[in-house]
Amino acid sequence: MFGKRIGVDLGTANVLVYVKGRGIVIAEPAVVAVAQRDNSIVAVGTAARDMLGRTPGAIQVIRPMREGVIADYVTTEAMLRYFISKVLGRMSLIKPEVMICVPAGVTGVEQRAVQDAAEAAGGRRPAHIIPEPLAAAIGARIPVGIPQGHMIVDAGGGRTEAAIISMYGIVVTESVRVAGDRLDDAIVGYVKRRHNLIIGDRTAEELKIAIGSALPLEEELTYQVRGRDQISGLPRTITVTSTDVTQAIQDSLAAIIGAIRSVLERTPPELASDVVDRGIVLAGGTALLRGLDRLVTQEIGISCYVADNPMECVAMGAGIALDHLDLIKRAQPAEGEWLVSF
């Protein structure tokens, strides 16, 4: 291959890699299995996730990303190296040009950690970084290069970011550490309180995907859940309804709605008018939650719709952004620039 250009969505829950001309080539969980004896990598991605809750004490399964930022630098670098080498293949000697996403609200130190990890994993120096809301908007095919306001809400695994974007720049943004993981935690807590049953995060995620909804459904769905009885300590199976899940996640969804409302309250009048005309776009894995777009429309009073392939928007936007580096750099603030030294 001759100088690949790739975009990486280094998410809390999943890592997606976009290669120009090929589309999304990797979409795997951001999970790594590590042998505690010598800190060697046992498995990465899907293979590691399959080990969650099923490994002996000598093997630890971890998620090196927390709330959109690096929590374990060494493991994150190893994970990135694995995915980048998987894209390039063994025969490639040319380092790829990498654009990697970070949350809009991260510090300069966190930005540098992501950039260093991408470079150490095999990316060409310097690696570029881009705020996730901007990447999501580009990936959703929103015409962000024109002087008009567009609102994107990127709800991923670790955090939700709402932003107003115009001319490749972020005008107003709000970030809350509430997204898919927090919804899972809320479901775990609800099942424990309501049914005295202890379930794992992965079971909660399966429950959320199977019957979860932001609003009550006309036809209620049910799902069989297995866990450990809190009183007897023995395995038990219960039936959970979609209404149960809706009640469990209401507080978390309220925080997301609050972030959207906060952004709109600080948006200049002309751009706010554009948003009313064009609506709000939802991206990220949590955008797939049933009824979330209708909940936003109901609470905010502005039409809201889910982007095509919402889980892929950030990675696609990062890859596409490599074709517009100069325009994007021009729109970034002078202090703490997002796109670092091209």
Side-chain angles (χ1 to χ4, degrees), residues 126-175:
H128 309 302
I129 58 175
I130 183 173
E132 286 180 8
L134 178 56
I138 294 172
R141 306 296 180 179
I142 296 173
V144 296
I146 61 177
Q148 292 178 345
H150 304 274
M151 185 166 192
I152 184 82
V153 178
D154 177 30
R159 67 171 74 199
T160 296
E161 295 188 291
I164 302 293
I165 295 174
S166 177
M167 295 188 69
Y168 288 110
I170 295 178
V171 182
V172 183
T173 184
E174 180 76 17
S175 178

Side-chain angles (χ1 to χ4, degrees), residues 226-249:
R226 297 179 181 86
R228 190 176 79 246
D229 190 284
Q230 196 172 205
I231 298 173
S232 70
L234 300 175
R236 183 161 66 93
T237 301
I238 63 169
T239 299
V240 178
T241 67
S242 55
T243 301
D244 288 333
V245 179
T246 300
Q247 292 175 355
I249 63 178

Side-chain angles (χ1 to χ4, degrees), residues 76-329:
T76 299
E77 180 191 322
M79 181 175 69
L80 268 177
R81 186 183 300 278
Y82 170 81
F83 288 129
I84 289 177
S85 63
K86 193 172 180 180
V87 171
L88 297 180
R90 297 179 180 179
M91 302 303 292
S92 177
L93 298 176
I94 302 176
K95 291 186 175 183
E97 187 173 15
V98 178
M99 176 76 84
I100 194 162
C101 303
V102 295
V106 300
T107 65
V109 173
E110 290 167 334
Q111 291 180 42
R112 176 60 63 179
V114 171
Q115 186 184 29
D116 290 347
E119 292 171 356
R124 188 186 307 171
R125 296 176 184 271
H128 309 302
I129 58 175
I130 183 173
E132 286 180 8
L134 178 56
I138 294 172
R141 306 296 180 179
I142 296 173
V144 296
I146 61 177
Q148 292 178 345
H150 304 274
M151 185 166 192
I152 184 82
V153 178
D154 177 30
R159 67 171 74 199
T160 296
E161 295 188 291
I164 302 293
I165 295 174
S166 177
M167 295 188 69
Y168 288 110
I170 295 178
V171 182
V172 183
T173 184
E174 180 76 17
S175 178
V176 290
R177 297 186 177 188
V178 178
D181 287 350
R182 191 66 65 85
L183 299 184
D184 296 342
D185 291 343
I187 293 170
V188 170
Y190 182 89
V191 172
K192 185 177 180 180
R193 291 192 309 273
R194 181 77 181 269
H195 301 283
N196 286 321
L197 191 75
I198 300 173
I199 62 174
D201 292 340
R202 188 172 178 186
T203 300
E205 183 182 24
E206 292 171 354
L207 179 59
K208 176 184 68 180
I209 293 171
I211 64 172
S213 176
L215 292 170
L217 298 175
E218 291 183 6
E219 294 186 14
E220 192 167 70
L221 302 175
T222 60
Y223 191 76
Q224 297 289 315
V225 175
R226 297 179 181 86
R228 190 176 79 246
D229 190 284
Q230 196 172 205
I231 298 173
S232 70
L234 300 175
R236 183 161 66 93
T237 301
I238 63 169
T239 299
V240 178
T241 67
S242 55
T243 301
D244 288 333
V245 179
T246 300
Q247 292 175 355
I249 63 178
Q250 282 306 300
D251 289 346
S252 298
L253 295 180
I256 293 175
I257 296 297
I260 297 172
R261 185 174 281 117
S262 174
V263 167
L264 289 169
E265 288 172 351
R266 292 180 285 126
T267 300
E270 291 79 4
L271 295 179
S273 175
D274 292 338
V275 172
V276 171
D277 291 340
R278 291 169 177 77
I280 300 170
V281 181
L282 288 177
T286 303
L288 294 171
L289 179 69
R290 294 175 185 84
L292 182 57
D293 53 343
R294 291 188 290 115
L295 177 66
V296 173
T297 300
Q298 177 180 300
E299 294 294 324
I300 302 298
I302 298 174
S303 62
C304 177
Y305 62 93
V306 180
D308 294 334
N309 302 315
M311 286 190 67
E312 300 178 355
C313 284
V314 174
M316 289 175 58
I320 295 169
L322 285 167
D323 296 328
H324 308 284
L325 290 178
D326 291 339
L327 293 173
I328 296 174
K329 183 180 181 182

